Amino acid sequence: MTQPSSSSVSDHLPAPEVTEVREYLMGLQVRITEALEAIEGEGGARFLADAWHKEPGEKLQGNGITKIMEGGRVFERAGCGFSHVSGPQLPPSATQHRPELAGAPFEAMGVSLVFHPRNPMVPTVHMNVRMISAGHPGQPKTCWFGGGMDLTPVYGFEEDAVHFHQTCRDALAPFGDALYPRFKTWCDEYFFLKHRSEQRGIGGIFFDDFSELGQHQSFAMLRSVGDAFLKSYLPIVQRRQNAAYTQQQVDFQRYRRGRYVEFNLVWDRGTHFGLQSGGRTESILLSMPPHADWSYQREDAAGSPERELLEKYLIRRDWL
């Protein structure tokens, strides 16, 4: 696979930082997609790698690699994208907490993934790690990091939620004991469907506009989060991928996926940032599931696993 050149966007930040961050992110994408192909096994689905670049004259400049797997034995759809772009002005979704940078030229790079498993007992997962730099001409650049990971089960399992949160906590521990509870709360508040007063899943960690540890330590924390992803998710997949399930449970999975679509299109800042800044639509929407359903005022029976998801798992709670 040919890697996209970094020459078109690498002169906005000091070269060592751009090179180091870019190489880490591209390597992370490779490690994660190779791990998923290993789970699919011999003869299983494989990722299609789609290298792209923005043509001269487009709103954004830059390049990336979108990797997509569909119709797999374990994963019905899995998207994992790397992008590195620059633009003439930050979109509104990126300046909510930094109004002094409104309209400033920017540079952004990151890896974002969403995996939709086939088996309803295996949870959907999302992870994103990114860096953004911006500054008005003649002023020093401001650089910050963002990202995190969160788990969205269709059928809840206590041990899965505990393992996921323990791994998130352990990834942040070297950088201060206060980060996990802070980022956990941030995740609960962010991945919340306000129009339904409902959590998207069991949470995880989320952070944005983060630079308080300094450039190098903040980047080290970002790497720790990225490196923890496979440790947080693969044991859950391996534990649940061969569980028996019914068509009724598949129907409920598709109903819950409808909620996932609602959040990503209505509330997700990453989706809004990509679309507002003129990003690549196919890559931005790789998080969408292959099938999703909606039901009018659905009510699941008391005591059912479907009702239990709402009452026991889609709530804000301390999993540790």
Side-chain angles (χ1 to χ4, degrees):
M1 179 184 68
T2 301
Q3 294 185 351
S5 169
S6 62
S7 59
S8 60
V9 289
S10 63
D11 55 352
H12 296 277
L13 288 170
E17 281 82 355
V18 166
T19 301
E20 186 179 7
V21 176
R22 181 182 173 92
E23 288 181 353
Y24 170 74
L25 292 172
M26 294 188 74
L28 179 65
Q29 183 191 37
V30 170
R31 282 188 282 140
I32 290 172
T33 53
E34 286 181 348
L36 257 66
E37 290 181 345
I39 289 178
E40 283 288 321
E42 186 176 353
R46 293 294 180 263
F47 279 93
L48 168 69
D50 180 17
W52 54 268
H53 69 278
K54 305 294 287 184
E55 297 294 337
E58 292 193 41
K59 190 174 181 180
L60 284 183
Q61 293 298 298
N63 47 57
I65 301 173
T66 298
K67 292 190 174 184
I68 186 79
M69 173 196 290
E70 297 186 291
R73 179 184 65 86
V74 179
F75 294 98
E76 193 171 7
R77 192 165 197 258
C80 182
F82 163 79
S83 63
H84 184 183
V85 297
S86 63
Q89 64 181 44
L90 276 167
S93 61
T95 58
Q96 293 177 9
H97 304 294
R98 295 179 182 271
E100 73 279 5
L101 292 176
F106 74 95
E107 180 171 9
M109 66 179 87
V111 166
S112 181
L113 64 83
V114 174
F115 299 156
H116 293 288
R118 183 173 297 279
N119 191 320
M121 304 302 152
V122 182
T124 291
V125 72
H126 159 259
M127 192 275 288
N128 172 265
V129 283
R130 61 189 178 273
M131 183 185 77
I132 299 177
S133 170
H136 292 286
Q139 297 178 349
K141 294 289 192 299
T142 300
C143 178
W144 65 94
F145 298 86
M149 64 183 91
D150 65 286
L151 200 68
T152 305
V154 175
Y155 289 91
F157 297 95
E158 189 100 5
E159 64 179 318
D160 294 352
V162 170
H163 167 78
F164 191 81
H165 277 271
Q166 283 178 335
T167 309
C168 290
R169 180 195 61 191
D170 293 347
L172 295 171
F175 305 94
D177 293 338
L179 289 185
Y180 167 73
R182 174 181 159 196
F183 290 177
K184 191 265 186 196
T185 299
W186 202 341
C187 187
D188 288 339
E189 293 174 350
Y190 182 80
F191 291 105
F192 181 68
L193 285 81
K194 299 176 185 177
H195 60 291
R196 295 190 182 274
S197 295
E198 182 180 294
Q199 296 297 134
R200 187 171 85 169
I202 60 98
I205 53 174
F206 176 83
F207 60 97
D208 202 3
D209 298 296
F210 188 86
S211 58
E212 64 195 57
L213 299 179
Q215 173 81 25
H216 295 291
Q217 274 296 92
S218 296
F219 178 40
M221 189 201 74
L222 186 86
R223 294 197 304 271
S224 187
V225 171
D227 293 345
F229 171 71
L230 291 175
K231 292 181 283 188
S232 73
Y233 188 56
L234 291 193
I236 298 172
V237 176
Q238 292 161 348
R239 190 155 54 224
R240 308 293 172 199
Q241 63 179 330
N242 295 319
Y245 60 89
T246 66
Q247 183 59 47
Q248 179 183 354
Q249 290 168 328
V250 171
D251 293 341
F252 184 62
Q253 178 192 49
R254 294 185 178 184
Y255 167 70
R256 292 307 312 173
R257 283 176 173 177
R259 294 288 206 269
Y260 208 87
V261 171
E262 289 179 23
F263 179 86
N264 281 18
L265 295 182
V266 176
W267 299 110
D268 187 65
R269 283 179 62 192
T271 301
H272 296 169
F273 178 93
L275 296 177
Q276 291 172 359
S277 63
R280 189 171 185 262
T281 301
E282 285 295 309
S283 299
I284 296 164
L285 297 181
L286 62 75
S287 63
M288 295 297 105
H291 305 284
D293 292 331
W294 283 262
S295 298
Y296 183 73
Q297 294 186 338
R298 175 178 174 132
E299 288 288 339
D300 293 298
S304 68
E306 291 79 12
R307 176 69 72 85
E308 182 183 62
L309 178 73
L310 279 174
E311 296 176 345
K312 184 178 177 181
Y313 291 91
L314 300 188
I315 59 174
R316 300 182 188 184
R317 55 181 283 197
D318 181 0
W319 292 99
L320 302 181

